[in-house]
């Protein structure tokens, strides 16, 4: 067995309460149970990769964390805040739209299809939320936005419209846009699966660099190399439950569950 | 080599003597029917011009004179142009509001928006304007306040009737304002459908991305969804505006007589030359609508920034709305 499993890529072993604490999360769409009791803890600074076949509920779980979907059962805490509800003496009260919007500010999300605002320039995309949501001074935000664009390798593109960029460039702008809110947690939903193969690398590099800065990340991905190198922990989901989880060397290198084995074999055969 | 049979079927790749195919200078396909069509059109246009020039009853000189008469110009500006602008502002503003209501989670708002659209789409504009013009017979005073305010106040022994503010309908009943209210209310029903199609045309991912950034529902609508919906909303709104220019001729139903068509008609009638009156009005309508079309193309460019063409499906949906107008 690997004795130093908790410490990977030089990141410290988790101490204290987890940043994301999900307990028995359940979600169904019109009677179709998609999440059947997911438990997951993610500590500050950790990178967790979510693997699993299509339809296993990975996207749904990610969307539940920042309340793009409301959960039917279980609880999700992010940084100690119960997401979506106020607990008043054991009775849950649904939070107002405004309060939920406030909870989302600290959670960045990167989508499979980028979802940049096409009518705004790259710089405006990055500046929009800090100015509109946090009411930060424009000058400060612009400076930060330019720094972030430089970090993702797009210092020369502030005036371009998203439609004028390649998919890889758009996804890097989307990462900068999320980071502009200074999130505590970043959620990635298959950030490279809509990209041409030759553009995947640049986005993964940006994400690696982000992980190296100590950002807490939950990444749904089919990129096994990324999961193996960057993740502290890999979680394999199937049919709405967590089937197997652990350090990447164990789950990817030596899977125990039959479903994990089948999935990984198919992944490596396919590409 | 003398194997001519083998070499004849396929292009010979070997010899340096054979040039590779160069630039193409092909003869274009001939379109003989195009020339026939052009000939027919030329003849028809010549016939039309000859009838316009040789028939003295057209009297274009008098038509140009009518176009420049002060009452006609006043009708043009204060009635047709101002009426169009004001009722479109009311129509677009109220229409977007109705569209947002129609798409909201609140069933009451949805119901109200649906009922509004249903009523005003069924109501002919001419009839609506006539009714609004005569509303003074029903309600001489328009008051906003507590429902049954008079009765409530009486039973409580108060001297007020709980009216917050009010005005006399008869003070405005024959003014352009009644016309604007009527045309604007009617227009809002059509604009609501156009705005709704526009909002629905925006990819759901846009709203989700904005939501994930912590934006409120109002911010998402104002800053992310509506600006993108505008690209789809503007072209049919241009058509609506042009239609509205023409519909201001219905203002006579109120009756509001300071309006282009009526004034031009009046001049023709007075000179016993009714046709030049129509010609004068027609020319002004053509001029106004041409200017509007130029403005529309600028707006389309502005709201199309960052985009390619409008998706075909959305365009078709909007054409359908236009068609049943
Ligand atoms: N809004 C929705 N309404 C109804 N069903 C939904 C909805 N969103 C997801 N589902 C269903 O939930 C199941 C899980 O979907 P989800 O997108 O979470 O899977 P996934 O693991 O992300 O798959 P993939 O790898 O294809 O992205 C699927 O069967 C899907 O059809
Ligand atoms: Mg998914």
């Amino acid at each position: 067995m690997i004795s130093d499993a908790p410490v990977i890529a030089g990141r410290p072993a988790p101490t204290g309460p987890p940043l994301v604490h999900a307990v028995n999360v359940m979600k169904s769409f019109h009677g179709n149970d998609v999440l059947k009791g997911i438990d997951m803890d993610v500590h500050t600074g950790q990178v967790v990769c979510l693997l699993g076949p299509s339809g296993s509920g990975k996207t749904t779980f990610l969307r539940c964390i920042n309340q793009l979907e409301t959960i039917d059962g279980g609880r999700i805490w992010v940084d100690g805040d119960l997401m979506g509800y106020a607990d008043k003496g054991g009775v849950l009260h649904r939070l107002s739209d405004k309060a939920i919007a406030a909870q989302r500010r600290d959670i960045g999300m990167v989508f499979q299809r980028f979802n940049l605002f096409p009518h705004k320039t790259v710089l405006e995309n990055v500046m929009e939320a800090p100015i509109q949501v946090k009411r930060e001074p424009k000058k400060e935000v612009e400076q930060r936005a330019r720094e972030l664009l430089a970090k993702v390798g797009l210092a020369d593109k502030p005036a371009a419209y998203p439609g004028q960029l390649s998919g890889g460039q758009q996804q890097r702008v989307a990462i900068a846009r999320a980071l502009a809110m200074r999130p505590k947690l970043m959620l990635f939903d298959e950030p490279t699966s809509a990209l041409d193969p030759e553009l995947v690398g640049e986005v993964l590099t940006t994400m690696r660099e982000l992980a190296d800065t100590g950002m807490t990340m939950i990444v749904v991905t089919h990129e096994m190399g990324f999961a193996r190198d960057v993740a502290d922990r890999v979680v394999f989901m199937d049919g709405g439950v967590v089937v197997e989880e652990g350090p990447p060397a164990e789950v990817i290198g030596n899977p125990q569950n039959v479903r994990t084995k089948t999935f990984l074999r198919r992944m490596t055969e396919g590409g | 080599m003398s194997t001519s049979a083998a070499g004849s079927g396929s292009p010979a790749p070997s010899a340096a003597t054979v040039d590779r195919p160069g630039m193409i200078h092909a003869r274009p396909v001939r379109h003989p029917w195009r020339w026939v069509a052009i000939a027919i059109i030329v003849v028809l246009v010549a016939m039309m011009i000859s009838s316009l020039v040789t028939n003295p009853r057209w009297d274009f000189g008098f038509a140009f004179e009518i176009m420049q008469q002060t009452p006609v110009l006043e009708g043009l500006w204060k009635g047709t142009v101002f009426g169009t602008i004001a009722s479109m502002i009311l129509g677009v503003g109220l229409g977007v509001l109705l569209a947002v209501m129609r798409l909201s989670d609140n069933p009451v708002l949805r119901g109200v928006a649906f009922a509004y659209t249903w009523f005003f789409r069924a109501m002919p504009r001419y009839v609506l304007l006539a009714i609004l013009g005569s509303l003074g017979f029903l309600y001489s005073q328009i008051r906003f306040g507590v429902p049954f305010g008079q009765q409530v106040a009486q039973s409580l022994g108060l001297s007020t009737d709980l009216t917050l503010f009010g005005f006399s309908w008869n003070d405005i009943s024959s003014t352009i304002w009644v016309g604007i209210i009527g045309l604007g209310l009617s227009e809002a029903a059509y604009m609501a459908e156009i705005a709704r199609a526009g909002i629905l045309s925006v990819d759901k991912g846009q709203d989700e991305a904005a939501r994930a950034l912590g934006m409120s529902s109002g911010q998402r609508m104002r800053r992310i969804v509506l600006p993108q919906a505008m690209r789809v909303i503007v072209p049919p709104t241009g058509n609506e505006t042009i239609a509205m220019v023409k519909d201001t001729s219905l203002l006579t139903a109120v009756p509001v007589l300071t309006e282009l068509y009526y004034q031009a008609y009046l001049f023709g009638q007075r000179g016993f030359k009714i046709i030049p009156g129509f010609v004068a009005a027609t020319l002004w309508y053509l001029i106004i609508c041409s200017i509007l079309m130029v403005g529309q193309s600028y707006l389309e460019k502005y709201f199309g920034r960052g985009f390619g063409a409008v998706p075909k499906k959305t365009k078709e949906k909007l054409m359908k709305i236009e068609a049943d107008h």
Side-chain angles (χ1 to χ4, degrees):
Chain A
M1 286 304 295
I2 305 162
S3 58
D4 60 350
V7 184
I8 285 169
R11 257 175 249 126
T15 51
L19 183 69
V20 179
H21 182 47
V23 183
N24 198 27
V25 174
M26 290 183 273
K27 172 73 186 174
S28 67
F29 292 107
H30 320 292
N32 170 23
D33 293 332
V34 173
L35 301 180
K36 301 170 187 164
I38 304 275
D39 296 328
M40 190 182 295
D41 282 356
V42 182
H43 284 83
T44 303
Q46 275 192 331
V47 176
V48 171
C49 280
L50 266 180
L51 310 181
S54 181
S56 56
K58 308 178 298 290
T59 298
T60 305
F61 179 67
L62 220 54
R63 291 164 57 85
C64 286
I65 293 176
N66 71 351
Q67 293 293 302
L68 287 180
E69 307 285 357
T70 52
I71 57 179
D72 303 326
R75 306 278 189 277
I76 301 175
W77 286 269
V78 175
D79 203 18
D81 283 341
L82 179 61
M83 296 303 288
Y85 300 92
D87 190 340
K88 293 178 183 165
V91 181
L92 290 193
H93 295 254
R94 180 88 185 133
L95 289 178
S96 68
D97 287 350
K98 211 175 150 194
I100 291 175
Q103 288 187 327
R104 289 192 187 114
R105 286 177 201 182
D106 298 331
I107 304 173
M109 189 164 198
V110 174
F111 299 85
Q112 194 170 358
R113 291 181 50 240
F114 329 136
N115 296 355
L116 291 178
F117 306 133
H119 60 303
K120 292 182 183 292
T121 63
V122 164
L123 190 64
E124 286 168 349
N125 263 277
V126 180
M127 291 172 62
E128 177 71 12
I131 290 178
Q132 295 301 323
V133 176
K134 286 190 167 171
R135 305 268 167 217
E136 289 182 70
K138 196 174 166 222
K139 247 191 161 160
E140 248 176 73
V141 175
E142 180 170 344
Q143 200 193 337
R144 189 161 86 235
R146 286 184 189 278
E147 284 166 15
L148 282 168
L149 285 174
K151 254 187 209 145
V152 300
L154 291 167
D156 55 336
K157 296 279 185 209
Y161 283 99
Q164 299 165 330
L165 302 181
S166 74
Q169 290 172 326
Q170 289 191 51
Q171 194 60 299
R172 285 183 282 148
V173 174
I175 293 171
R177 178 177 70 176
L179 291 177
M181 289 294 279
R182 300 193 218 263
K184 296 176 200 152
L185 168 70
M186 285 284 284
L187 308 174
F188 294 83
D189 188 10
E190 300 195 35
T192 58
S193 63
L195 298 177
D196 290 338
E198 74 269 24
L199 301 176
V200 168
E202 61 190 53
V203 172
L204 291 182
T205 303
T206 301
M207 289 170 62
R208 271 171 214 260
E209 286 167 5
L210 185 59
D212 287 342
T213 67
M215 175 61 75
T216 313
M217 296 160 59
I218 303 180
V219 184
V220 176
T221 187
H222 292 305
E223 295 294 330
M224 290 303 148
F226 179 84
R228 200 178 293 132
D229 297 351
V230 184
D232 298 288
R233 202 148 44 87
V234 168
V235 176
F236 177 76
M237 278 175 69
D238 193 7
V241 294
V242 173
V243 172
E244 189 166 355
E245 67 172 300
E250 285 177 20
V251 176
I252 300 175
N254 183 23
Q256 301 301 312
N257 190 289
V258 191
R259 285 193 276 180
T260 319
K261 281 180 189 169
T262 316
F263 173 74
L264 288 170
R265 196 176 325 119
R266 236 184 298 131
M267 288 305 297
T268 43
E269 277 167 10
Chain B
M1 296 242 281
S2 58
T3 51
S4 59
S8 63
S10 55
S14 58
T17 52
V18 180
D19 273 339
R20 295 181 341 125
M23 299 300 289
I24 294 172
H25 301 283
R27 301 274 162 84
V29 176
R30 304 212 174 275
H31 298 283
W33 288 107
R34 227 179 250 178
W35 293 103
V36 175
I38 288 172
I40 292 171
I41 288 165
V42 165
V43 171
L44 287 176
V45 169
M47 282 161 68
M48 216 164 74
I49 291 175
S50 93
S51 88
L52 289 177
V53 174
T54 55
N55 188 339
R57 293 204 178 168
W58 280 107
D59 203 344
F60 286 103
F62 188 48
F64 289 132
E65 240 173 75
I66 292 176
M67 281 177 78
Q68 294 160 42
Q69 295 299 321
T70 313
V72 173
L73 288 174
E74 208 176 311
L76 172 71
W77 288 114
K78 291 187 184 166
T80 304
V81 173
F82 177 69
T84 301
I85 294 170
S87 46
M88 281 312 289
I89 289 174
L90 178 60
V92 171
L94 191 56
V96 170
L97 184 70
L98 285 165
V100 173
M101 283 166 68
R102 188 80 188 272
L103 294 170
S104 85
D105 297 331
N106 184 331
V108 178
L109 293 182
R110 277 205 309 263
V112 169
F114 176 82
Y116 182 100
T117 311
W118 165 77
F119 180 80
F120 281 99
R121 280 227 290 196
M123 199 74 188
R125 285 189 179 169
Y126 192 84
V127 178
L128 178 64
L129 289 173
I131 291 173
L132 285 178
S134 322
L135 209 59
F137 293 118
L138 270 176
Y139 304 101
S140 60
Q141 295 284 316
I142 304 286
R143 292 202 190 88
F144 293 88
V146 178
F148 301 103
Q150 245 168 335
Q151 289 78 350
V152 171
Q154 241 166 29
S155 67
L156 296 175
L158 301 173
S159 56
T160 156
D161 61 359
L162 302 178
T163 298
L164 300 178
F165 71 95
F167 59 93
S168 165
W169 187 258
N170 288 326
D171 288 350
I172 66 158
S173 68
S174 298
T175 65
I176 182 84
W177 295 106
V178 169
I180 288 167
I181 290 170
L183 291 174
L185 290 179
S186 167
E187 184 58 40
Y190 293 96
M191 281 310 304
E193 289 298 293
I194 291 170
R196 191 164 76 108
I199 291 170
L200 289 175
S201 78
V202 178
D203 178 30
K204 238 181 65 209
Q206 290 293 308
D207 187 66
E208 279 187 350
R211 228 185 316 165
L213 287 165
M215 294 174 83
S216 70
S217 61
Q219 285 172 331
R220 276 160 14 221
M221 187 51 80
R222 265 198 332 277
R223 300 200 47 93
I224 306 301
V225 178
L226 274 183
Q228 293 181 60
M230 286 309 276
R231 177 176 63 105
V232 170
I233 292 173
V234 165
T237 303
N239 292 344
E240 291 292 315
T241 309
I242 286 166
M244 184 60 83
V245 171
K246 297 177 288 182
D247 279 356
T248 54
S249 61
L250 301 175
L251 286 171
T252 48
V254 173
V256 171
L257 304 181
T258 310
E259 170 273 316
L260 174 62
Y261 168 71
Y262 185 78
Q263 293 299 327
Y265 168 78
L266 217 57
F267 261 89
Q269 208 189 30
R270 269 190 226 136
F272 299 107
K273 289 179 177 174
I274 204 140
I275 296 294
F278 294 150
V279 171
T282 302
L283 289 177
W284 270 127
Y285 284 124
L286 283 176
I287 291 168
I288 302 262
C289 290
S290 308
I291 295 170
L292 283 175
M293 282 161 82
V294 173
Q296 180 183 359
S297 81
Y298 276 107
L299 277 180
E300 277 177 32
K301 263 192 211 123
Y302 175 77
F303 283 110
R305 69 197 191 284
F307 286 97
V310 175
K312 202 173 149 227
K313 229 171 140 188
T314 313
K315 225 177 204 168
E316 279 165 6
K317 206 189 282 170
L318 286 162
M319 300 257 281
K320 239 181 78 195
I321 292 172
E322 283 286 299
D324 65 38
H325 188 156

